[in-house]
Amino acid sequence: MEPGAAWSAYQAGHLLVRDWLAALPADVMALPSVLPSWTVRHLAAHLALVAKSVARLTEAPRGERPLTIARYVARYAAAAEMINIETRALADAAEPVAAMDKRSAAAAETMHRLGGGDPVVAAGRGPIRLSDFLVTRCIEIAVHADDLARSVPGIERPVPPPETERFAARALLDALAETAVGVFAQCAARLDVRVDQHAPADPFAPHPGADR
């Protein structure tokens, strides 16, 4: 899989959720979210940190063995408290939509710097292929768009673009098959989407002539 497709899917989902958040009445940001102890503002700040995680990427040292998506995402639990602290700090320090814009621009600069290949990158939870890391960002968008929709009932829900949901759903199903860890089943169940719902194309299929 080429990173460009996952990057485009992530960008499209990020922009859709960003615009949805920007259109909310100001007082909605202070409402409690469906995530314990987080407000809607915290969720928005967390999505800014998702963009920041792309901006921070560097190529991993030669010889680093990349984690699979399943093993990368499985490391989130150990970092939960740090993620909570960083999210709260950003929510207190900046307007979330502006923070999303700033970090999204920085992420685009990093993607340009990394070039057009699929290197192993040093990401927040360990080494991982760039393409796989970007798929984890699609998962973040898809899952937290659902969180936002459930946190603000009565407003048209933010539905990520089909390509964002396809990448997220396929990755979660693959992770479930690889590890049988309950967290992946829970995330997959929350995505109201089948892998083939929007189009027959498999985003993970290699391009013609690509090494298998």
Side-chain angles (χ1 to χ4, degrees):
M1 178 180 57
E2 293 180 352
W7 169 239
S8 295
Y10 163 69
Q11 278 189 306
H14 172 94
L15 182 60
L16 183 140
V17 175
R18 178 259 180 227
D19 288 347
W20 184 88
L21 286 165
L24 290 178
D27 59 341
V28 171
M29 283 289 185
L31 293 177
S33 79
V34 294
L35 300 186
S37 80
W38 274 17
T39 64
V40 173
R41 184 182 183 90
H42 289 128
L43 268 172
H46 179 67
L47 289 172
L49 291 177
V50 171
K52 184 178 181 179
S53 69
V54 181
R56 284 178 165 179
L57 293 176
T58 59
E59 287 199 38
R62 185 180 298 275
E64 284 273 17
R65 186 173 182 177
L67 297 166
T68 63
I69 291 174
R71 297 195 180 281
Y72 186 88
V73 174
R75 295 186 174 191
Y76 289 178
E81 183 55 29
M82 182 179 69
I83 292 170
N84 181 47
I85 291 170
E86 290 182 351
T87 296
R88 290 179 179 279
L90 181 58
D92 290 343
E95 194 283 315
V97 173
M100 290 178 72
D101 291 343
K102 179 178 179 180
R103 285 152 182 80
S104 180
E109 292 177 3
T110 294
M111 287 297 298
H112 178 75
R113 171 174 51 79
L114 289 172
D118 192 15
V120 178
V121 293
R125 311 294 159 237
I128 186 171
R129 286 280 174 196
L130 175 60
S131 56
D132 285 345
F133 181 73
L134 294 171
V135 171
T136 71
R137 304 305 86 185
C138 291
I139 295 172
E140 292 275 353
I141 291 293
V143 169
H144 291 310
D146 178 68
D147 290 332
L148 287 166
R150 292 184 297 120
S151 299
V152 191
I155 296 179
E156 185 176 358
R157 60 187 294 125
V159 179
E163 63 269 28
T164 311
E165 291 194 321
R166 277 201 303 272
F167 274 109
R170 174 63 186 272
L172 289 168
L173 290 171
D174 285 350
L176 179 61
E178 178 183 339
T179 67
V181 175
V183 65
F184 299 112
Q186 294 166 16
C187 290
R190 286 170 54 191
L191 297 182
D192 185 19
V193 59
R194 300 197 329 261
V195 174
D196 62 349
Q197 177 178 358
H198 301 289
D202 180 355
F204 285 77
H207 290 270
D211 292 337
R212 292 174 183 266

